[in-house]
Amino acid sequence: MDLLEYQGKQFFASYDIPVSEGDVATTVEDAVKIADTIGYPVVVKAQVHTGGRGKAGGVKLANDTAECTEHATNILGLDIKGHIVKEIWIEKASDIAEEYYASFTLDRSAKKYLGMLSAEGGVEIETVADENPDAIAKIHIDPVEGLTEAQCREWVLAANLNDQATDGAVDILLKLYNAYVEGNADLCEINPLILKPTGEVHALDAKVSLDGNALYKHPDYEKYDATQPRDEREEAAHEAGLQYVGLDGSVGVIANGAGLAMSTVDVVNQVGGSPANFLDIGGGANAEVMANALTVINNDPAVKAIFINIFGGITRGEEVANGIIEAMGKVTIDSPIVIRLDGTNAVEGREILEPHLDDKLMMETTMLSAAQKAVELAK
Ligand code: GDP
Ligand code: MN
């Protein structure tokens, strides 16, 4: 679950990490009321599930009511990388001496948590990683051993922050680590983490992603559900009981088994195409499941061709073939379909499909040739 900045700041605050005082508004009137209460100058910040808001005009300083009205008016409704701003966060403006970057995430290949700290904050960390990778101090943390204060201090010193920031950074990073672990987060990022002219260290932005599987430990995370970005295709698919993940390409993918579905996505990419989704219909490939899968994929306007990749195991080829034919009688599919059917009783299955083949329903003998055909048709 990806939190909006203000939710991330509330999450941080619950772990005693210093953030600016503020409140959230959905109208200009409310924004001004909040700003008048907090006292100027304030910062008006777009709340959307994407970064780079500053560059897009979604973060503005207001010195008085008139400026707050102007910025709130401009930012509400703003389109930031396809995200329309419906909520704004108004917070007390901070004086900044320096901007840093700090985060914790999971390094799967190392089987450890990864902490990253950089004196070059305020810009995208990917840019720093590309242009000046030495400016990022990294620490791997064994989840069982945790992070000690001594390790944390050594890490902060390696990042070459201003000396003035050392104690404050150590304090915040230990709290951030605790929030990351106790809060079951997948990502906790502060960019920028600021040093104020007065010497305090403070979180000026918050990017938090929580592990949805830990919801049972944190019933209060339910409140974040309402603001989650929705993929309508995924909602429809999950309602139909399908294992579906939306992607942004043009080849609809249906396969039986998660492993085969992933390989199918890979092979579509490999032959120069781009999958519109991952869809695992599981073990049973009866007409109802197949019709549901085809309907979900057909409703995605980006889909230009569909690749059904079946390797029969317990599921037998003739069942799948009958399922496909029956499903096509139930729903009208706009895009051409390419089938690859292999495994148990594939010969019987192909015989069933044979009389139905035309320019809307094609069959290929290998996974690779089927992928090539589907990608070609999608172009
Ligand atoms: P992002 O662009 O989506 O990452 O939004 P941020 O919250 O990180 O804000 C972008 C930039 O705006 C920061 O790097 C700061 O330079 C600036 N900014 C944000 N809040 C304040 C503030 O309270 N005071 C000042 N002076 N600048 C701010
Ligand atoms: Mn930021």
Side-chain angles (χ1 to χ4, degrees):
M1 294 191 291
D2 296 331
L3 305 197
L4 292 164
E5 176 198 5
Y6 77 90
Q7 295 168 329
K9 284 184 169 169
Q10 287 163 352
F11 174 77
F12 284 171
S14 71
Y15 288 94
D16 209 23
I17 295 165
V19 292
S20 309
E21 175 197 353
D23 207 345
V24 68
T26 54
T27 63
V28 177
E29 295 73 47
D30 282 352
V32 170
K33 250 184 245 165
I34 293 165
D36 287 348
T37 310
I38 293 174
Y40 294 92
V42 295
V43 185
V44 183
K45 307 184 78 175
Q47 298 299 294
V48 280
H49 288 284
T50 184
R53 296 164 302 160
K55 268 191 221 154
V59 178
K60 293 278 184 197
L61 194 79
N63 288 300
D64 51 41
T65 306
E67 283 183 15
C68 182
T69 306
E70 183 192 336
H71 296 322
T73 308
N74 290 338
I75 295 175
L76 279 168
L78 190 69
D79 181 333
I80 302 180
K81 299 181 194 163
H83 301 254
I84 306 296
V85 180
K86 298 196 182 88
E87 291 178 290
I88 45 179
W89 168 252
I90 316 296
E91 74 172 25
K92 190 151 192 67
S94 305
D95 287 329
I96 303 175
E98 297 195 359
E99 300 195 20
Y100 307 134
Y101 172 95
S103 71
F104 287 104
T105 184
L106 176 66
D107 183 343
R108 288 176 195 277
S109 50
K111 297 179 183 159
K112 286 183 174 154
Y113 298 135
L114 172 65
M116 290 196 278
L117 181 63
S118 177
E120 293 189 16
V123 286
E124 277 174 29
I125 195 65
E126 290 81 2
T127 311
V128 182
D130 279 348
E131 290 170 5
N132 193 7
D134 292 342
I136 304 172
K138 294 183 181 174
I139 186 173
H140 275 102
I141 304 153
D142 186 307
V144 178
E145 287 167 12
L147 177 65
T148 65
E149 183 170 346
Q151 286 168 328
C152 187
R153 186 164 294 272
E154 203 177 306
W155 174 38
V156 169
L157 292 174
N160 286 317
L161 311 184
N162 189 311
D163 287 345
Q164 255 198 308
T166 306
D167 288 343
V170 170
D171 182 58
I172 287 195
L173 289 168
L174 288 169
K175 287 170 177 165
L176 189 66
Y177 179 74
N178 185 43
Y180 173 76
V181 175
E182 294 295 316
N184 290 101
D186 291 324
L187 170 72
C188 281
E189 182 188 81
I190 306 177
N191 187 23
L193 174 73
I194 58 160
L195 171 66
K196 296 187 188 180
T198 46
E200 291 126 326
V201 179
H202 185 98
L204 206 63
D205 193 5
K207 188 169 171 189
V208 175
S209 186
L210 300 171
D211 181 355
N213 294 313
L215 209 74
Y216 74 98
K217 286 194 208 168
H218 307 277
D220 57 311
Y221 288 180
E222 206 73 59
K223 66 182 176 229
Y224 301 129
D225 205 47
T227 50
Q228 281 312 293
R230 304 269 174 222
D231 183 322
E232 282 174 26
R233 301 173 301 172
E234 288 186 359
E235 300 212 324
H238 296 166
E239 241 163 67
L242 299 167
Q243 300 297 322
Y244 176 101
V245 179
L247 302 169
D248 50 20
S250 58
V251 180
V253 167
I254 298 176
N256 65 327
L260 186 63
M262 280 192 269
S263 309
T264 311
V265 164
D266 281 349
V267 79
V268 166
N269 275 308
Q270 191 194 322
V271 299
S274 153
N277 65 277
F278 163 102
L279 199 168
D280 164 22
I281 54 169
N286 62 34
E288 195 196 335
V289 173
M290 193 55 84
N292 284 339
L294 284 170
T295 303
V296 164
I297 290 186
N298 193 57
N299 287 342
D300 180 349
V303 169
K304 298 288 176 271
I306 301 170
F307 177 11
I308 302 180
N309 190 8
I310 304 290
F311 195 99
I314 296 167
T315 316
R316 299 195 313 272
E318 73 270 25
E319 281 174 16
V320 178
N322 284 326
I324 294 171
I325 302 304
E326 214 183 310
M328 290 189 66
K330 290 183 177 192
V331 288
T332 311
I333 307 299
D334 305 321
S335 309
I337 299 174
V338 183
I339 303 169
R340 174 260 185 156
L341 180 59
D342 230 319
T344 310
N345 291 5
V347 175
E348 290 83 346
R350 290 182 196 152
E351 269 170 22
I352 293 169
L353 290 169
E354 205 70 54
H356 300 273
L357 299 179
D358 55 21
D359 60 349
K360 293 294 266 179
L361 187 68
M362 284 154 265
M363 193 157 61
E364 288 287 332
T365 46
T366 69
M367 176 156 158
L368 190 64
S369 61
Q372 281 163 336
K373 185 86 196 165
V375 168
E376 195 182 295
L377 289 164
K379 281 195 174 133

